[in-house]
Amino acid sequence: MTVAVALLLGAGLVAWVAPGRLRRLATSGAHPRVVLVAWLSSLVSVLVTAGLAVTALLLPDHGAHAFIGFPDCFDALLHGLTPEAEALSGVVGVLMLAGLLVRLAVMATRTARRRARARRDHLAVLRPAARSEPGRPTTLWLDHEEPMAFSLAGYPGVVVATEGLHRTLAGAQVDAVLVHERAHLSGRHHLVVTAADALSAMLPFLPLFRRTPAAVRDLVELAADAAAEL
């Protein structure tokens, strides 16, 4: 039981402290991809640690042997509860973890379907009105004065831009805008954002999870900017 409590406390501590540390990492000049990986790794570490806590509840005897070298009193503390209480704690933990995983799956599936439907609708409207760039059938150009560009994830991913970019920006700047959007597609940024939204919905009361969607959106934009500057 003590092992499970320690793991849960550790996971909770990371979930509360990590956002501030990650923000400092971002402002220290680290590459956006490094910060993005660190942020997502923190999320995974919290979930894995919580899963290990549930395992320790289900297998208290194995939890004791995992800490070879600790004083014998630690083992006594670990078995301070009755077997019935330990079993009940394990069942409750499994149900909570299963509920979170089901919630994650539902949120991820719902979000993915919504975005796929929006992509189909957008392309159904855009393709008849757009021209394809020679040699790049996945780049669509719209005859519109407003300079604008965005990407639509999928297979294949599509970059949509307006002729206003050519009328407003120099050639090198237009290329940089297109590289930015293609970096979103090659980096699977749309998928990362979808995963961030789903993970945040699991435990929105924890700062790390609550702040993940906004942070991930900022980081993928910065990562795409860095790719455009190369």
Side-chain angles (χ1 to χ4, degrees):
M1 186 67 178
T2 304
V3 172
V5 172
L7 290 172
L8 287 174
L9 289 176
L13 181 62
V14 171
W16 281 93
V17 173
R21 302 285 183 179
L22 292 168
R23 281 198 303 272
R24 282 194 284 275
L25 177 63
T27 58
S28 68
H31 194 283
R33 282 199 297 267
V34 173
V35 183
L36 183 60
V37 170
W39 196 289
L40 296 177
S41 298
S42 298
L43 288 172
V44 172
S45 70
V46 170
L47 295 176
V48 170
T49 303
L52 291 175
V54 173
T55 303
L57 287 172
L58 287 173
L59 305 172
D61 291 334
H62 294 270
H65 295 305
F67 290 84
I68 298 173
F70 272 56
D72 292 339
C73 62
F74 183 85
D75 186 67
L77 285 173
L78 181 65
H79 297 285
L81 293 180
T82 63
E84 292 79 6
E86 289 181 342
L88 179 60
S89 300
V91 170
V92 172
V94 168
L95 291 176
M96 292 178 62
L97 184 59
L100 289 174
L101 292 176
V102 169
R103 180 177 174 81
L104 174 62
V106 170
M107 294 296 298
T109 301
R110 185 179 301 168
T111 301
R113 287 178 177 174
R114 184 174 65 250
R115 293 189 175 183
R117 184 167 56 251
R119 178 182 186 274
R120 289 194 301 269
D121 293 343
H122 289 154
L123 288 179
V125 174
L126 293 171
R127 283 195 185 280
R131 68 172 178 85
S132 297
E133 183 176 300
R136 290 188 180 274
T138 56
T139 302
L140 301 179
W141 289 92
L142 295 172
D143 189 10
H144 195 280
E145 292 294 331
E146 187 72 21
M148 182 173 54
F150 59 91
S151 55
L152 295 173
Y155 299 98
V158 175
V159 173
V160 181
T162 64
E163 298 291 354
L165 288 176
H166 289 300
R167 297 163 187 158
T168 306
L169 304 176
Q173 293 172 316
V174 173
D175 291 340
V177 171
L178 297 179
V179 170
H180 174 103
E181 296 303 330
R182 289 169 187 146
H184 283 316
L185 296 174
S186 62
R188 301 290 191 272
H189 291 168
H190 301 80
L191 179 61
V192 173
V193 169
T194 299
D197 289 341
L199 288 170
S200 176
M202 287 182 67
L203 299 168
F205 54 89
L206 293 176
L208 178 62
F209 287 76
R210 184 173 62 250
R211 298 173 186 173
T212 288
V216 167
R217 281 173 170 78
D218 289 342
L219 289 170
V220 297
E221 289 300 329
L222 292 173
D225 285 344
E229 293 171 359
L230 294 179

